[in-house]
Amino acid sequence: MPGLTDRAAEETSGPAGRVAEAQRTWEAALQAQVERLRGDLRSRMPDEAAACIGARVRGAALRWPYWGREVEIDWPALQPTWVDDGRPCSPFDTAMLLYHLRASDGILPAGTWIGYRDLPNGAFYHQSFTGYTGHRWAEAFGTRPEAFAAAAERVGGEPVVGLAPHAYRFVPLPRIPLAACLWPGDEDLRAQAAVLFDAHAGHHLPTDGLALLGSGLTGRLLRADSPAGG
């Protein structure tokens, strides 16, 4: 999933014109990647792919939850749509879902947590990833853990005991749970926060794709804390 980690960082930094140009360049490259993914996937049977990602087969289509909403992908067109309103998924979500379909080998979640640096090749991007995920919500929620809890629950998080003083589990895709952890700050200690991944996450998405799930979780938490409630 080349370049997508860099895109996630670009979304939160730099002049607006540079970000807009990066977005246009990325979207053009993305469309070519999506067509290659479709070509790779058409050689597979829908039921085989469904078993790998935890989807349900409905005729020649697969259905499964993605960030709390049902998506459907028909074979062989491989155009994801949202089940609740029938709209096509965005180019970004389409790429994420197709990469997941191609990458997943079907292994179940391990039930243990690791940091981004522990993912394949994650150490190289760890500092950047932390900058646009944990650092952002540490700044937003570091002295307001009750607001962090409210935001996490608003976007479907479930409390997790033992990971951090405040930790919530999310399931953006059936095989890829994430955890959001917060260590509140005080007068003497700066707040810290982190996204954790299931130890088998790398079996279901490239590390760049997992970075974007973490970025997506960050955006959802921050929007849920906005006056409009996300």
Side-chain angles (χ1 to χ4, degrees), residues 44-57 61-64 75 100-101 104-109 174-175 204:
R44 299 181 64 186
M45 298 298 293
D47 55 350
E48 174 195 348
C52 286
I53 66 169
R56 306 182 307 280
V57 181
L62 274 57
R63 281 192 181 185
W64 73 98
W75 237 266
H100 178 46
L101 271 171
S104 180
D105 63 11
I107 191 170
L108 296 176
R175 298 283 195 258
H204 302 288

Side-chain angles (χ1 to χ4, degrees), residues 59-75:
L62 274 57
R63 281 192 181 185
W64 73 98
Y66 175 52
W67 284 119
R69 294 176 69 188
E70 287 279 305
V71 292
E72 181 171 282
I73 290 184
D74 59 326
W75 237 266

Side-chain angles (χ1 to χ4, degrees), residues 25-100:
T25 301
W26 177 83
E27 287 182 351
L30 180 64
Q31 187 57 42
Q33 292 175 353
V34 164
E35 291 308 316
R36 285 194 292 271
L37 288 168
R38 288 186 172 123
D40 292 345
L41 287 166
R42 285 179 181 127
S43 65
R44 299 181 64 186
M45 298 298 293
D47 55 350
E48 174 195 348
C52 286
I53 66 169
R56 306 182 307 280
V57 181
R58 296 171 58 91
L62 274 57
R63 281 192 181 185
W64 73 98
Y66 175 52
W67 284 119
R69 294 176 69 188
E70 287 279 305
V71 292
E72 181 171 282
I73 290 184
D74 59 326
W75 237 266
L78 292 164
Q79 172 57 61
T81 59
W82 297 107
V83 172
D84 55 9
D85 61 15
R87 293 178 180 272
C89 295
S90 70
F92 173 77
D93 287 324
T94 294
M96 179 71 72
L97 294 165
L98 295 182
Y99 268 108
H100 178 46

Side-chain angles (χ1 to χ4, degrees), residues 138-180:
E139 182 177 343
F141 299 117
T143 60
R144 302 186 304 130
E146 71 289 343
F148 172 72
E153 291 175 2
R154 200 169 288 139
V155 295
E158 298 181 352
V160 179
V161 176
L163 283 181
H166 306 275
Y168 284 80
R169 179 180 183 270
F170 303 83
V171 187
L173 289 160
R175 298 283 195 258
I176 313 179
L178 305 178

